[in-house]
Amino acid sequence: DMEVIMIILTLVNGKEICLNDDLIYKIEEAPDTIITLTDGKVLRVANKTEEIIEKTIEYKRKIYTNLLGGSI
């Protein structure tokens, strides 16, 4: 069981990437989903904003569950 350390997203060219969600500054949809990172770099992804938010919540839930010994 590989522990997830980042969220997995798909670039508009179809390539999958792993992204540390703490680096996300903002997310826009126009019509692609555009993620601006805290360092100003921009990623265009096929994932919709709601999906990215859900992946981030699930990622954080896993982290905090592990920190609390398996219970939230």
Side-chain angles (χ1 to χ4, degrees):
D1 182 23
M2 187 173 132
E3 188 170 339
V4 177
I5 57 171
M6 297 184 199
I7 60 173
I8 299 171
L9 301 174
T10 304
L11 298 175
V12 292
N13 67 5
K15 182 178 178 181
E16 281 193 342
I17 62 164
C18 294
L19 178 66
N20 179 338
D21 67 306
D22 289 330
L23 299 178
I24 297 173
Y25 173 67
K26 67 178 178 179
I27 303 171
E28 303 171 83
E29 286 188 26
D32 296 331
T33 305
I34 302 165
I35 301 175
T36 303
L37 304 180
T38 55
D39 64 0
K41 291 181 182 174
V42 174
L43 300 173
R44 289 185 179 272
V45 298
N47 309 79
K48 295 296 182 191
T49 300
E50 186 63 31
E51 182 184 356
I52 297 167
I53 292 168
E54 288 172 9
K55 285 176 179 268
T56 300
I57 291 169
E58 181 61 27
Y59 170 68
K60 296 292 187 190
R61 185 174 288 132
K62 286 179 184 179
I63 291 172
Y64 291 114
T65 298
N66 289 339
L67 287 176
L68 296 174
S71 63
I72 293 185

